[in-house]
């Protein structure tokens, strides 16, 4: 049970930026900052891949509309990453506690991912790009800070993650109307592009 607060926190963080979580845990484990990180997350190839994908996310996450496309593509990746990281933190021995940890990590990752994706849709209703950059920067710093704090004070960090998740769900409920407008506007743009697309001309037989 002692690992569950860390599992929940890392799951929450994975729903926001899974690559940052893997990279942070791997670096902390490889440098000896903590012995809570399994060896599989400290492997050089894992760190390199996580680092490259993290840089890709840093860029994509700050571009209006591209961030929403990126979020859509990660609807399954982030919860899966949260579940895998949680299971590894729980021991990786196939026990019932590992399965429970995977379920907790995957569920918290899914919920935080939905909050992030929904919030970004609302932010994209604004024509200027600065709000996207600000949101992305706050998210990255928040993930780094909470995950780092969780390695030393897991229970308090889990409380912080839970509070942020609940707050995000409340905010998302208030932004629901803006999100619906965003979806309608995107569907309208797609329809306009389809209608204005040049029709191929076939030569008369």
């Amino acid at each position: 049970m002692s690992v569950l607060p860390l599992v929940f926190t890392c799951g929450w963080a994975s729903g926001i930026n899974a690559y940052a979580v893997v990279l942070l845990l791997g670096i902390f484990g490889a440098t000896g900052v903590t012995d809570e990180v399994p060896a599989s997350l400290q492997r050089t190839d894992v760190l390199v891949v996580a680092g490259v994908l993290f840089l890709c996310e840093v860029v994509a996450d700050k571009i209006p509309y591209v961030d929403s496309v990126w979020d859509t593509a990660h609807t399954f990746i982030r919860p899966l990453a949260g579940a895998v990281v949680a299971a590894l933190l729980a021991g990786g021995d196939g026990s019932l506690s590992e399965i429970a940890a995977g379920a907790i990590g995957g569920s918290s990752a899914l919920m935080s991912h939905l909050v992030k994706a929904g919030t970004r849709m609302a932010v994209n209703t604004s024509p200027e790009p600065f709000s996207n950059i600000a949101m992305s920067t706050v998210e990255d710093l928040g993930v780094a800070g909470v995950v780092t704090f969780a390695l030393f004070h897991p229970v308090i960090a889990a409380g912080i993650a839970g509070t942020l998740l609940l707050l995000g769900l409340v905010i998302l409920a208030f932004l629901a109307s803006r999100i619906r407008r965003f979806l309608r506007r995107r569907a309208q743009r797609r329809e306009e592009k389809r209608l204005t697309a040049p029709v191929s001309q076939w030569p008369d037989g």
Side-chain angles (χ1 to χ4, degrees):
M1 296 293 293
S2 61
V3 77
L4 290 184
L6 179 60
V7 161
F8 174 80
T9 303
C10 289
W12 166 84
S14 295
I16 300 173
N17 193 328
Y19 306 124
V21 174
V22 174
L23 186 62
L24 278 172
L25 291 177
I27 291 175
F28 288 148
T31 55
V33 174
T34 177
D35 56 1
E36 296 286 339
V37 180
S40 55
L41 293 178
Q42 303 178 35
R43 290 170 40 182
T44 302
D45 56 340
V46 172
L47 292 176
V48 170
V49 172
V52 171
L53 292 174
F54 169 71
L55 292 176
C56 292
E57 176 141 348
V58 166
V59 175
D61 215 31
K62 293 176 174 59
I63 303 175
Y65 299 106
V66 174
D67 57 352
S68 289
V69 174
W70 184 269
D71 286 337
T72 301
H74 283 73
T75 299
F76 298 102
I77 296 175
R78 287 170 181 160
L80 179 61
V84 171
V85 169
L88 291 173
L89 290 173
D93 55 1
S95 63
L96 183 60
S97 61
E98 179 193 353
I99 297 174
I104 292 173
S107 299
S108 59
L110 177 60
M111 287 189 292
S112 62
H113 164 75
L114 293 176
V115 169
K116 173 178 179 174
T119 304
R120 286 308 183 86
M121 287 183 183
V123 169
N124 280 329
T125 62
S126 174
E128 44 78 27
F130 304 107
S131 53
N132 298 74
I133 297 174
M135 284 285 295
S136 178
T137 302
V138 169
E139 289 168 355
D140 292 341
L141 293 176
V143 165
V146 174
V147 170
T148 301
F149 189 67
L151 292 173
F152 305 99
H153 305 283
V155 175
I156 300 176
I160 294 173
T163 301
L164 291 175
L165 179 58
L166 181 60
L167 181 61
L169 291 171
V170 172
I171 293 174
L172 188 60
F174 281 107
L175 294 177
S177 60
R178 294 188 66 178
I179 294 171
R180 286 193 293 268
R181 287 199 301 270
F182 169 78
L183 293 175
R184 286 197 299 267
R185 189 179 303 172
R186 185 169 64 175
Q188 183 179 6
R189 281 198 299 269
R190 289 177 177 175
E191 182 65 16
E192 290 174 351
K193 288 181 180 179
R194 186 184 69 82
L195 294 176
T196 57
V199 180
S200 59
Q201 300 292 330
W202 294 91
D204 295 332

